[in-house]
Amino acid sequence: PLPPEEQAKANTPPDLSNAPGLRNATILDSDVTYRSANGASYRTTLEKVTFASTSDSSPFTMTLTGAYNDTPVSISAEMEPISDLRKTPHRPYATTAHVTSGDMTSDFTGTLTDPMNFEGVEGHTTVTTPTSDTLFSVAGITGDHAPVKLALSGDFSHSGDDWHFTKAQGTIQTSTMESGDFTLIEGNHGKPDDVTAKTGFGRLDINGLMPILAPPGAKGTKKGPSTLHADLLLITPPDPDPLVHFELTARQLIYNALNFTNLRIQAAQTSNRIEVPLLRLDYIGASLSADGRIEADGKSSRVAADVVLTHGDIDRLRRVAGLAPVPVKGSLNFRITASSKNVHTLNEAISRADMTAAVSMEKGEIAKEIVEAASMDLRLLFRHAKGVTPITCLLGVLQMHQGIGTVIPLRLRTGEGTIAAKANFDLNRRWLDLVFASRPFSTSFFALDVPVRVSGPFDAPTLSLATWSKVGRNMLADSNAVTNLPPALQGFAASNACARPTR
């Protein structure tokens, strides 16, 4: 580090009042290498650079042919006359530049207060590319990849250690960025850079971004994007450079076959850890909010999250899950704690998740004939129950390991009676086994209270009497058990009237 007086002098733009006139100059076969504080090298090759002007009061032009880290680059720039250059830094120096590299083009129109050091830069810039081949090359990504069409524009500025790209708009593949603000703060000697990004999308299609975000080994060609399911990498480097903080919003988010709305997510990357203090989105009328963290676990990661889902309409949820119609209407609320170990991607974390969840309903309704059928009410021999009865409360507690789980207890209380149940399920096989029975104290004099078992595939289960099998009888014996909940879920479940065991 320089002494304060020398640092102040170094930060002062040079006096160009005596800049010489330049009519025609050429630089051949040169290169400039910039080495970052962390030891990374960035090499600019200058095959041919020309400067020209007809007089000190005529436009000053530059053309450059060369490469950046072996990626070919051509630049043509038209600047203000040299007589205006002599007035900087007191008067910003105007420049327009056109950059081409492969199929990428970029234009800049703006001013500089220190042209020799590319300092005090302010202006508008655009970037367009049908394939992003150049961007992949500059980023060090080699090998075949699917094309990524990109067109962005925004305001660019640079001063000292601060780099900014603001008011960004454009498209990335089929995603539309409506607003973007990006800031890079260069780290001090031996320290990582710091990047802050705040972006807003109208439509964010993760499937379309798969060429950028696909995990290692995902297949894609320049003829089109990967046909694999979208899957996001969960990487927690031990010494990240740069450190990243971002906030992202999107009115529409597409991920595999799922279509979400009103996304907002905040995240920060530090050593061996990614914190997600906020995730909110809407899905088929339900609102989901979550917070979580991704931590290094050897060469893989471990993930933990707490999730809250409210206003989940039963009929819409069951259709998404591929379940047969159910004669129950109402909205469900969920509280979920989940964790995964030894994972590398988001889909892998979801499929391997250990999960505990509580689900409740405070308002809803169920067909009267279902309650009477569940209780084997003898009056069904002489009449057909019509209408619905309000649901006083519903409570279910779920324990799941890698897609296989149990719901116990599962209780539903209505004005016509109380039903207790237990369910086993396998999301991988799309299979369930459900036993339910009405509680004798809650039903009418005519109810036989015979327990029923529903078992089989999600979309076509079969119906039988629970007592006909040992499995059914064992499940029935468990149906009124009280499950121990993690502290995060205890208050949620305890406030539900159905939390109290039935007789």
Side-chain angles (χ1 to χ4, degrees):
L2 297 174
E5 61 277 6
E6 292 188 32
Q7 184 65 50
K9 183 178 179 180
N11 292 336
T12 302
D15 180 6
L16 299 177
S17 58
N18 293 317
L22 191 62
R23 302 292 172 262
N24 189 2
T26 302
I27 301 174
L28 297 174
D29 300 328
S30 304
D31 65 76
V32 176
T33 300
Y34 168 76
R35 187 179 298 277
S36 73
N38 291 317
S41 294
Y42 306 92
R43 185 170 182 258
T44 300
T45 302
L46 307 175
E47 296 177 4
K48 182 178 182 181
V49 185
T50 62
F51 298 95
S53 64
T54 57
S55 69
D56 286 3
S57 59
S58 65
F60 184 43
T61 63
M62 181 196 75
T63 60
L64 182 152
T65 302
Y68 176 75
N69 279 355
D70 299 324
T71 300
V73 178
S74 296
I75 302 175
S76 60
E78 182 172 303
M79 298 164 276
E80 289 187 312
I82 289 178
S83 59
D84 291 316
L85 176 65
R86 294 171 182 146
K87 300 174 184 178
T88 57
H90 306 292
R91 178 184 177 278
Y93 187 57
T95 301
T96 62
H98 178 73
V99 182
T100 60
S101 180
D103 60 13
M104 186 191 78
T105 62
S106 178
D107 289 280
F108 172 81
T109 302
T111 60
L112 304 88
T113 58
D114 184 0
M116 303 305 173
N117 290 308
F118 197 67
E119 283 287 344
V121 184
E122 290 190 8
H124 187 77
T125 187
T126 63
V127 179
T128 60
T129 170
T131 66
S132 293
D133 281 346
T134 297
L135 297 178
F136 279 97
S137 178
V138 170
I141 301 175
T142 59
D144 197 15
H145 65 80
V148 178
K149 186 177 181 179
L150 180 147
L152 290 178
S153 65
D155 294 339
F156 173 80
S157 64
H158 169 232
S159 178
D161 294 334
D162 298 358
W163 302 72
H164 301 277
F165 184 46
T166 62
K167 299 179 182 179
Q169 295 181 335
T171 59
I172 307 173
Q173 290 289 78
T174 56
S175 298
T176 55
M177 182 188 292
E178 297 178 337
S179 63
D181 290 291
F182 305 88
T183 299
L184 166 66
I185 307 298
E186 294 183 43
N188 295 326
H189 184 73
K191 302 293 184 181
D193 297 338
D194 194 298
V195 172
T196 300
K198 186 175 182 179
T199 58
F201 284 83
R203 181 178 190 267
L204 178 57
D205 184 356
I206 300 298
N207 301 333
L209 295 178
M210 272 298 293
I212 300 176
L213 303 172
K219 298 179 180 179
T221 69
K222 292 188 177 182
K223 296 181 180 179
S226 170
T227 57
L228 299 179
H229 290 299
D231 199 1
L232 303 183
L233 285 172
L234 304 180
I235 302 174
T236 53
D239 298 303
D241 187 4
L243 302 177
V244 178
H245 310 265
F246 78 85
E247 179 175 343
L248 183 150
T249 61
R251 294 200 308 274
Q252 180 187 24
L253 170 66
I254 300 172
Y255 183 78
N256 288 321
L258 302 175
N259 199 322
F260 303 99
T261 57
N262 301 322
L263 168 71
R264 184 185 177 195
I265 181 172
Q266 296 175 345
Q269 175 179 274
T270 57
S271 179
N272 288 314
R273 187 179 182 93
I274 298 175
E275 287 283 351
V276 185
L278 174 66
L279 169 63
R280 291 178 182 169
L281 52 80
D282 296 335
Y283 180 59
I284 58 171
S287 297
L288 182 147
S289 61
D291 63 86
R293 62 222 58 87
I294 306 166
E295 298 176 301
D297 187 12
K299 294 183 178 180
S300 57
S301 298
R302 58 179 177 268
V303 183
D306 296 315
V307 183
V308 176
L309 186 145
T310 58
H311 312 302
D313 182 78
I314 290 178
D315 191 58
R316 299 181 73 174
L317 291 173
R318 71 91 190 160
R319 283 194 302 236
V320 170
L323 295 172
V326 294
V328 181
K329 294 182 179 179
S331 295
L332 299 175
N333 297 322
F334 293 84
R335 297 292 189 277
I336 303 168
T337 62
S339 62
S340 296
K341 297 180 180 179
N342 191 30
V343 296
H344 304 84
T345 69
L346 178 60
N347 292 353
E348 190 178 26
I350 294 173
S351 64
R352 294 185 180 183
D354 292 333
M355 182 184 303
T356 300
V359 56
S360 74
M361 177 197 293
E362 297 299 337
K363 292 183 180 180
E365 57 186 26
I366 186 172
K368 288 183 178 180
E369 62 178 318
I370 298 301
V371 180
E372 292 190 2
S375 63
M376 294 293 181
D377 195 306
L378 292 176
R379 290 174 294 179
L380 288 177
L381 298 175
F382 309 102
R383 64 170 175 80
H384 179 71
K386 296 181 179 180
V388 296
T389 183
I391 295 174
T392 304
C393 64
L394 179 149
L395 176 66
V397 177
L398 175 148
Q399 302 275 355
M400 185 176 73
H401 175 67
Q402 298 188 5
I404 300 173
T406 299
V407 181
I408 178 175
L410 177 58
R411 301 184 190 128
L412 184 148
R413 187 173 298 167
T414 75
E416 301 292 324
T418 298
I419 298 173
K422 177 184 178 180
N424 298 324
F425 62 90
D426 187 337
L427 298 180
N428 306 310
R429 295 168 50 204
R430 300 182 61 78
W431 170 93
L432 67 86
D433 195 354
L434 166 67
V435 166
F436 64 90
S438 57
R439 311 311 295 177
F441 78 95
S442 67
T443 52
S444 74
F445 172 80
F446 299 97
L448 299 179
D449 298 312
V450 177
V452 176
R453 183 183 183 190
V454 180
S455 182
F458 281 176
D459 55 356
T462 58
L463 191 69
S464 65
L465 297 180
T467 55
W468 282 1
S469 69
K470 182 178 180 181
V471 172
R473 291 191 295 272
N474 290 338
M475 290 179 64
L476 186 65
D478 294 338
S479 64
N480 203 35
V482 178
T483 301
N484 293 324
L485 290 174
L489 302 180
Q490 289 175 0
F492 170 76
S495 63
N496 190 295
C498 282
R500 295 184 295 273
T502 58
R503 291 178 289 166

